[in-house]
Every structure is written in structure tokens, then in C-alpha cells.
Amino acid sequence: GQLDVPDRADFVQISAGQDHACGVVSTGAVRCWGGDAYGQSSPPNRTDFVQVSAGWSGACGVLESGELRCWGQSDYGAGDAPSGADFVDVSFGAYRSCGVQQSGELACWGAGAGGTHRPPVGDDFVAVRASVDHSCALRESGDVDCWGTAPSGASESPAESGFTSLGAGYQNNCGSLESGEAVCWGFDGFDFSSPPERDDYLQVDMGGDFGCGLTESADVLCWGGNEYGQASPPSNRFALVATSAFSTC
């Protein structure tokens, strides 16, 4: 079914989770909609959020101070964010979550975060995406590092460089390049690693078995599985796009 989007608001960033979605509005508040069985659509009432990530049954947000606030269900510790750290980006995954600290270093918490899912070392990361069995992070240079235990090459880092956006799906990843092209790697069932060939992608995100990209003309193009209509966007003009397991916002 379709998630009921809230009344018109000035969203500056959005994120779609398993059965809910959240977004930061221009006032700094977070608004969420969809499933709320675990409180995942009931964010803290404050106006100092700068980024939010909706996961399976929970969400985490970055505050202006760099602190994290999480709500909803914390499967395997994915919502047990570290305290006292200064973050600029966070990604709520299935069994673990990751964030980029102001130092450019990565921090992950939850299942396997200190073992098979330990993040790579470096102080030049700018974004991170945590999925089910793997995670990927974007460096200032445009290189992408991936790690974890996902099959079919999703845990492997791509050969391409010059990435400007990044999305991590269940068994594959996609991103946009400085050239405007979209690149995917990993499993390609349902052609969800085969985006339409274009040179004007601004942003790309990856869902469960499909992907979507925002173009310079404000169109959203999607590819891959479409059993729930998740790859059939309306013919509106868009400024942001976010994908989840089976839906797109």
C-alpha cells in the first residue's frame, strides 16, 4: 500500500524506512509518517535536527550539536547510538547503524559492528549508508568503500570513482557520478542494477529490489522490481528522492 504523506511541508531532507518515512523540514523539526507500532514515526519534539535516517522499525537523527537522537525499535542495538560524539551524517540499518563524525571518521554500532562489520579506517568520509548485511561510505575524493557479508558483490567497493551520491540496497548498491551517470554493482535480479543510461542524474538511491534517480530536469526515474508500484513514480517535479524496501518518496 501507499504511505500517507503528511500535509505539505518544506522538506529539506527525507529518508524512507521499512514501513515508514521521515523528513527534516525547514524549521529543523522531523516529521514522520507510516507505521508506528514501535514508535518509529514518533520523533522527538524539537527543532534542531539537520539530518534523519529511517530504518527498519526505528530512526536516528543528527542534531545541530552533532549529537544523535534515535527512536523506535532498536533491533540488535541499531538504535543505541553512541553519546558524546559529533556526527554529520547517520544511517539506520537493519541490524546495525553507522555515522560519519565531524572528524571524517566512521562509527558503527549494533550487530557485528566491532567484527565482520567493522568500518574502514579514514578521516575523509562524508556520507554512509547501512543496509542489511553490508554498508558503504563515500569519501571526499568521490571513492566508495563497502564492507560486510552481503553476497553477490554488494560488500565489494566499486572500481569507479567520482561518486556524488550513494544508495545501499539489500544485495546491491547504486550511486551517481560527477559525469551525471548512474552506476550500480552487486546482484542484478529484476534488473535492479541496470539503471537507464543518462548523464543528468543528481541523486540516486537504492531500495530492496529497485532503484530510483533524480535528474537535472526534476524527474524521478526508477528501475528494477515494481510489484508494489515502488518503481512507478508520479509525473511530478521533484527536489529529493528516497527509497525503502518497497516504497519511494
Side-chain angles (χ1 to χ4, degrees):
Q2 181 174 330
L3 294 178
D4 293 326
V5 181
D7 295 336
R8 181 178 177 87
D10 295 324
F11 286 98
V12 296
Q13 186 256 327
I14 56 174
S15 177
Q18 177 76 357
D19 66 349
H20 74 296
C22 295
V24 180
V25 299
S26 57
T27 62
V30 165
R31 300 182 67 178
C32 300
W33 58 97
D36 199 30
Y38 303 101
Q40 66 266 41
S41 291
S42 298
N45 184 19
R46 53 192 307 153
T47 58
D48 58 345
F49 283 99
V50 295
Q51 189 247 338
V52 66
S53 175
W56 275 36
S57 301
C60 286
V62 180
L63 305 181
E64 292 175 355
S65 65
E67 296 177 282
L68 297 181
R69 291 292 184 272
C70 299
W71 57 94
Q73 191 174 41
S74 178
D75 289 332
Y76 301 93
D80 299 336
S83 59
D86 294 329
F87 286 89
V88 296
D89 186 64
V90 67
S91 180
F92 197 114
Y95 307 117
R96 70 203 58 82
S97 299
C98 295
V100 179
Q101 302 177 79
Q102 290 184 1
S103 63
E105 297 172 292
L106 295 173
C108 297
W109 53 95
T116 56
H117 291 273
R118 184 188 300 273
V121 175
D123 60 2
D124 60 342
F125 290 99
V126 295
V128 64
R129 298 292 179 265
S131 184
V132 180
D133 293 318
H134 76 289
S135 303
C136 294
L138 177 64
R139 293 181 183 266
E140 290 179 356
S141 63
D143 292 333
V144 168
D145 288 14
C146 298
W147 65 97
T149 59
S152 306
S155 298
E156 298 176 7
S157 303
E160 296 86 357
S161 186
F163 283 88
T164 58
S165 73
L166 179 63
Y170 285 3
Q171 299 182 63
N172 78 323
N173 312 296
C174 292
S176 58
L177 303 180
E178 293 173 350
S179 63
E181 298 172 281
V183 172
C184 301
W185 64 101
F187 186 58
D188 197 21
F190 303 107
D191 291 330
F192 53 69
S193 286
S194 300
E197 294 185 7
R198 298 178 65 107
D199 61 1
D200 63 344
Y201 286 105
L202 296 176
Q203 178 201 351
V204 170
D205 202 4
M206 192 65 216
D209 63 356
F210 73 105
C212 292
L214 175 69
T215 70
E216 292 178 357
S217 58
D219 296 319
V220 167
L221 303 178
C222 299
W223 57 92
N226 195 35
E227 60 270 41
Y228 302 104
Q230 67 268 35
S232 297
S235 57
N236 298 66
R237 294 178 62 81
F238 294 93
L240 301 166
V241 65
T243 61
S244 71
F246 305 112
S247 63
T248 305
C249 294

